[in-house]
Amino acid sequence: MPLQIPHPNTPIHLYRHILREATYLPPLCQPWITSRIQARFRDCRRKQDAKFYVKEAHHYLRHLRSANAGHVKRMLRLCFLATGRVGKRRRLLGRSELSSCPPANSDELDEKTKVGDRDTANGKQRKPDWLDNWSVDKVKAIAFSQSDHQANHWPHHMRRIIDPARALPTENCFGRPLNQKLRRNKLKKHWVGVLRQLLPPLPRGEWDQLGTLTRGDAGAQHYRIPTRRPVAQSSSPCTDARERAWTDFVTRSVRSLERKSSRKMKSLSGSEDEDPRGHGRPIGVRVLGRRRLRRSIYGRVWEACPVVVKNPQSGKWNVKWGNQERTVSRPRKKDMQFFQGVDEKGVPTQSATAAATY
């Protein structure tokens, strides 16, 4: 069915449309998406030239409508935003979870204030910079683990060479050792590239809750998507102002006219085919029931979420990723005849072997 909601013309009208679409999202991403919509509207409210922001908001409105219609990739993108795999929350999690721990005593405080590599050429000590505020050991452990576990559907992919001892040069083009400032700048540039591809860890409680949703152990209310409310109909008959004129068929190509009703754009535009035979069902749209929501959405999100725990004995960081269990479905009764005479491991039983010999 095409969208029967009037096209929003004013910013307030557009803001109400986006908030209404956010109420139809799954419970996993609905609170974060709603808060970001409200924050973005308040930030852009005092802008002098708001044409760019209105155009961008129309884009996100079509994106939300397509995700609510069942587009799996766009719904997965919204869940990545809510869990901090992409977007603003990813930066917030990186700042809170990857920062260096504060000193526990005065000795650690003195070591932290006096940290720095002494330059052998002039004997100067470098000044503290932003890299000292990050836990490099934790970032390195997560980067190595992400490089081993990353999948194709993850929003970021880690580079192959992570160790700065292998990635950074030790001499310049003249064969001389690098000075302290240049060596430090190259080290910071290397970790900037790693942080751009890093997936920050989630808090332990949120990670466990996401695992409960993936395994299907949560309540039914966590998998229930709100149904769309009926659209109010006007009592007076109204004509469609967007009906094409005969000049459109003369001045524009057929491909341009039928672009909105194509299989790729149908979930974004909401338009239907004029031909009853049509182009077919929209690409990437599925019915997001409990099973598909748990496997296609929550399972992929949980696989891209790590949790980090420090080993008290060795002092190293242990990284654990979400693991979605893929079980094999049981065969039907009429298909059980193919499995007669073998056990669970596929080995023929004694009775089947004896019958075959006789």
Side-chain angles (χ1 to χ4, degrees):
M1 287 294 293
L3 297 173
Q4 302 293 336
I5 305 174
H7 183 73
N9 296 320
T10 62
I12 296 293
H13 194 192
L14 178 60
Y15 177 54
R16 290 181 61 188
H17 274 254
I18 299 177
L19 283 179
R20 185 184 296 112
E21 289 296 328
T23 59
Y24 303 131
L25 293 174
L28 177 64
C29 59
Q30 180 181 349
W32 174 257
I33 298 299
T34 303
S35 63
R36 287 303 301 156
I37 292 171
Q38 295 172 352
R40 289 287 295 163
F41 176 76
R42 291 164 185 168
D43 293 342
C44 304
R45 196 171 185 178
R46 303 301 178 185
K47 300 291 183 179
Q48 295 181 358
D49 189 9
K51 293 182 179 179
F52 171 77
Y53 303 101
V54 171
K55 182 179 179 180
E56 191 179 22
H58 277 287
H59 165 74
Y60 289 124
L61 176 60
R62 293 191 294 268
H63 190 96
L64 285 174
R65 285 177 175 174
S66 177
N68 289 328
H71 200 281
V72 177
K73 290 187 177 180
R74 294 189 177 99
M75 183 63 74
L76 183 63
R77 176 77 178 183
L78 294 177
C79 292
F80 279 152
L81 285 169
T83 53
R85 305 304 90 195
V86 291
K88 182 178 179 61
R89 190 158 187 258
R90 175 171 174 262
R91 296 187 292 270
L92 295 178
L93 285 175
R95 186 183 303 175
S96 61
E97 300 294 332
L98 300 177
S99 60
S100 58
C101 300
N105 48 41
S106 59
D107 296 337
E108 294 183 2
L109 181 61
D110 294 339
E111 292 179 1
K112 189 175 182 179
T113 54
K114 295 180 181 179
V115 65
D117 301 325
R118 186 171 296 278
D119 196 347
T120 57
N122 49 19
K124 293 183 179 180
Q125 189 177 10
R126 69 169 181 85
K127 297 180 180 180
D129 49 25
W130 60 267
L131 189 58
D132 297 326
N133 299 328
W134 291 77
S135 179
V136 180
D137 296 338
K138 185 187 293 187
V139 172
K140 191 175 180 180
I142 298 175
F144 275 110
S145 182
Q146 180 179 340
S147 179
D148 296 336
H149 293 83
Q150 59 189 355
N152 294 330
H153 62 270
W154 287 19
H156 298 281
H157 294 85
M158 184 55 61
R159 59 176 65 186
R160 295 182 179 180
I161 302 177
I162 303 171
D163 191 3
R166 296 179 54 193
L168 300 181
T170 57
E171 298 178 351
N172 57 13
C173 59
F174 301 104
R176 300 173 183 175
L178 302 177
N179 57 24
Q180 183 226 5
K181 186 175 181 180
L182 181 59
R183 185 171 62 251
R184 187 67 179 180
N185 290 337
K186 287 183 176 294
L187 182 63
K188 290 190 292 185
K189 184 178 179 180
H190 169 75
W191 287 117
V192 165
V194 172
L195 290 172
R196 286 178 179 174
Q197 302 168 345
L198 192 73
L199 295 176
L202 282 178
R204 184 71 187 192
E206 186 177 354
W207 189 83
D208 293 337
Q209 183 181 5
L210 186 57
T212 304
L213 290 173
T214 304
R215 291 187 297 269
D217 300 335
Q221 66 275 9
H222 296 282
Y223 304 97
R224 187 181 300 113
I225 299 179
T227 57
R228 184 174 290 275
R229 297 185 294 272
V231 182
Q233 302 293 336
S234 177
S235 58
S236 59
C238 58
T239 58
D240 190 4
R242 294 174 294 176
E243 187 177 358
R244 298 194 187 102
W246 67 271
T247 54
D248 296 336
F249 296 93
V250 177
T251 58
R252 298 172 59 184
S253 62
V254 178
R255 179 184 179 184
S256 176
L257 293 174
E258 296 183 353
R259 183 173 181 269
K260 292 184 178 180
S261 60
S262 63
R263 296 182 61 196
K264 183 179 179 180
M265 302 296 296
K266 192 180 294 186
S267 63
L268 290 172
S269 62
S271 60
E272 285 186 338
D273 302 317
E274 295 181 358
D275 191 345
R277 294 168 293 182
H279 299 283
R281 59 183 301 176
I283 298 177
V285 176
R286 300 291 185 270
V287 179
L288 295 179
R290 173 171 179 154
R291 183 178 180 180
R292 188 177 296 276
L293 189 67
R294 181 170 59 87
R295 292 187 176 183
S296 302
I297 306 297
Y298 292 166
R300 294 183 179 182
V301 174
W302 193 42
E303 289 177 354
C305 295
V307 64
V308 184
V309 180
K310 191 173 184 179
N311 192 344
Q313 298 179 357
S314 62
K316 297 182 179 180
W317 295 98
N318 298 328
V319 184
K320 184 179 180 181
W321 298 83
N323 186 14
Q324 184 182 2
E325 297 181 359
R326 294 175 173 85
T327 58
V328 180
S329 60
R330 297 182 61 86
R332 296 174 295 181
K333 292 183 179 180
K334 64 179 182 180
D335 298 333
M336 289 298 295
Q337 57 181 343
F338 298 102
F339 301 95
Q340 292 180 0
V342 295
D343 56 5
E344 296 179 355
K345 298 182 179 180
V347 180
T349 59
Q350 295 180 358
S351 59
T353 306
T357 55
Y358 291 106

